Amino acid sequence: MQLIDRRQFLGAGLAAAALASSPRAAFTQMAGSGAPFADFRALVCVFLFGGNDSFNMVVPRSQAEYDVYANARQNLAVPLDQLLPINPATTDGAAYGFHPAMAGMQQLFEQGRLAVVANVGPLIVPATRDQVLNNSVPLPPQLFSHNDQQDQWHTLKGNDQASTGWAGRVADLLAPQIQQQLPTNLSLFGTSLALAGNSTLPFTMGPSGPVPILGLGDTGIFLEQRRVFDALVDHDYESIYARAFGAVQRRTVDLAGTIGDAIAQAPPVTTVFPGTPLGAQLGTVARLIAARAQLQTTRQVFFVASGGFDTHDNQAVDQPQLLGNISACLSAFNDAMQELNVAGNVTTFTQSDFGRTLTSNGDGTDHGWGGVQMVVGDSVLGGDIYGRMPVLEIDGPDDVSGGRMIPTTSADQYVATLARWFGVADAQLAEVAPHIGNFAQQDLGFLPG
């Protein structure tokens, strides 16, 4: 889980105070221009904490390529006859299949609702094996470190000190066009740096929705406690920090009430979600999307997550359960979006710390670099693999060491493609994805322009 430091907390408080006191003035001071959005679009980031071994998620199925894969993966290789076949619209000469626990993802791929993005990861510039080994190109800092690589995915900032996330910068840029009472960026899995902007203040809630402050109510002692609370947070303190802290508390209570009321008034979502933490989070996202009319929202970025992907050991037992849960939860979420008739307005995508080593440590795998991601939705130009799948060979052309795949697609390209569909202009993509200008292809093509 990503924590927020003192500087970010105070900055968020000041932003909240500004928005609370003068929303229109705050909007006019933020970057961006254009008419308010008339349609609804949402991005749903599903972060797989720990580092998903995604080269066991999408696996070569043609014999020659499978043999290379199996030789590298050893005791962790998925049996060839268990792979769920897919038929990409374009081909690199190899056949592929999903892990046997991911029947839902295979179905969405074959329906054209899911795209696979091959071997994507943080990069500053394109890099070859020789360039990485010779240290002749700039690289993201602290490769193979959980916290650092999570930050890389969240911020895309490379070696720069980063206090904002890519989704926060998207919300900053589009703020004048997103004139709604609900914050653009919402997390159901704790504080996420990905959602923090210079002017944008994200809202964090529990997996089942906003968590009310206990002891505040409308009758008896609870009413008295509410009056005391209101007096404390609304007081005109001399200290700017005290006023900012009070504004954050006021905003939290007010938004919790607004969201709770809207969900209660929204059409019910009848789709049944898996009874897992990720299923609960995505079920709440579905209810929030169902309440979009009550909340008058036009753009939302949701952050949800699942943990347990740091499979140094017991991978053969744990990974099928992990991937099965992801498949079941994303399938249920797709069903809910179909039920709400907004499947073309909502794009769901995965991210993870990194991929993992092709080599087995005997019972699992270690920290890698590039990995496979998935993008789901009716606007997605699915049924295809975007980018180049690496050669899954130890000491092969894409292996920097120990079976760690050098990304052949950058996280900047991945995010820029999502941001462009969300409404960010081409001229502003570099503000979201700072290194996008270093790559020839800025839009990977898995979403319409």
Side-chain angles (χ1 to χ4, degrees):
M1 188 178 300
Q2 179 67 49
L3 299 178
I4 188 168
D5 62 26
R6 178 175 177 273
R7 180 177 298 178
Q8 291 168 335
F9 172 78
L10 291 175
L14 293 174
L19 287 173
S21 62
S22 181
R24 186 176 298 276
F27 278 129
T28 60
Q29 292 171 7
M30 289 188 259
S33 60
F37 291 118
D39 63 341
F40 172 78
R41 292 190 182 186
L43 291 171
V44 183
C45 177
V46 180
F47 203 94
L48 310 179
F49 278 102
N52 178 30
D53 189 346
S54 55
F55 292 120
N56 264 13
M57 186 173 76
V58 179
V59 180
R61 197 169 50 83
S62 44
Q63 193 66 56
E65 289 77 12
Y66 179 84
D67 289 345
V68 173
Y69 155 85
N71 183 61
R73 305 252 63 184
Q74 303 169 39
N75 62 313
L76 299 177
V78 180
L80 177 59
D81 61 359
Q82 294 182 19
L83 294 172
L84 304 176
I86 57 175
N87 299 283
T90 58
T91 179
D92 60 4
Y96 293 93
F98 269 104
H99 188 283
M102 305 190 78
M105 298 300 90
Q106 179 208 31
Q107 182 179 24
L108 289 177
F109 186 96
E110 294 297 283
Q111 292 173 352
R113 292 188 167 106
L114 184 152
V116 168
V117 183
N119 197 25
V120 59
L123 286 170
I124 296 175
V125 298
T128 66
R129 184 174 190 267
D130 287 343
Q131 288 172 328
V132 173
L133 293 176
N134 294 329
N135 199 29
S136 61
V137 292
L139 298 174
Q142 302 298 321
L143 288 172
F144 322 129
S145 158
H146 283 296
N147 290 341
D148 293 284
Q149 294 314 299
Q150 289 166 16
D151 284 353
Q152 286 298 300
W153 271 103
H154 292 333
T155 69
L156 304 179
K157 282 289 190 176
N159 288 311
D160 302 330
Q161 293 294 319
S163 60
T164 62
W166 68 265
R169 296 192 294 274
V170 167
D172 284 349
L173 288 168
L174 299 180
Q177 297 168 264
I178 307 174
Q179 299 183 17
Q180 59 193 37
Q181 58 179 319
L182 195 63
T184 302
N185 294 348
L186 301 175
S187 174
L188 288 85
F189 194 85
T191 303
S192 171
L193 181 55
L195 305 183
N198 285 315
S199 303
T200 293
L201 183 63
F203 185 69
T204 301
M205 64 184 75
S208 299
V211 180
I213 297 178
L214 296 177
L216 304 184
D218 298 323
T219 59
I221 191 173
F222 299 118
L223 177 58
E224 292 302 315
Q225 289 176 170
R226 171 174 282 279
R227 287 171 176 166
V228 172
F229 174 84
D230 290 342
L232 286 171
V233 300
D234 295 338
H235 183 73
D236 186 16
Y237 293 98
E238 182 177 346
S239 167
I240 187 175
Y241 300 111
R243 293 198 303 273
F245 182 78
V248 169
Q249 307 312 308
R250 166 56 59 205
R251 175 180 182 269
T252 299
V253 171
D254 290 348
L255 281 174
T258 298
I259 293 171
D261 291 345
I263 290 176
Q265 297 170 14
V269 178
T270 62
T271 298
V272 177
F273 284 81
T276 62
L278 181 60
Q281 294 170 65
L282 287 172
T284 301
V285 171
R287 290 194 295 275
L288 288 165
I289 290 173
R292 66 195 182 280
Q294 287 77 11
L295 293 167
Q296 299 180 340
T297 52
T298 59
R299 290 294 186 275
Q300 296 282 187
V301 179
F302 298 97
F303 183 87
V304 302
S306 185
F309 289 86
D310 194 19
T311 50
H312 288 286
D313 49 38
N314 208 38
Q315 179 169 315
V317 174
D318 292 344
Q319 191 183 34
Q321 299 175 37
L322 292 164
L323 295 181
N325 179 51
I326 296 302
S327 181
C329 289
L330 292 185
S331 293
F333 188 70
N334 173 75
D335 290 344
M337 296 305 97
Q338 301 291 337
E339 176 188 342
L340 296 172
N341 199 31
V342 291
N345 304 84
V346 180
T347 296
T348 306
F349 60 97
T350 61
Q351 293 183 346
S352 190
D353 310 20
F354 34 61
R356 304 193 74 82
T357 56
L358 296 179
T359 52
S360 169
N361 62 22
D363 198 27
T365 53
D366 298 319
H367 301 174
W369 191 356
V372 176
Q373 306 298 340
M374 301 181 295
V375 189
V376 180
D378 277 14
S379 283
V380 175
L381 304 177
D384 210 354
I385 298 174
Y386 292 82
R388 178 175 71 81
M389 290 291 283
V391 178
L392 299 179
E393 177 184 1
I394 305 301
D395 295 326
D398 298 312
D399 177 15
V400 67
S401 68
R404 295 178 174 91
M405 296 291 97
I406 304 168
T408 46
T409 298
S410 78
D412 284 69
Q413 292 171 289
Y414 185 54
V415 163
T417 306
L418 295 164
R420 192 166 181 261
W421 174 82
F422 197 64
V424 175
D426 289 353
Q428 295 177 313
L429 288 177
E431 297 182 53
V432 174
H435 307 111
I436 192 65
N438 297 333
F439 299 90
Q441 185 180 9
Q442 297 193 356
D443 188 323
L444 297 175
F446 57 76
L447 283 166

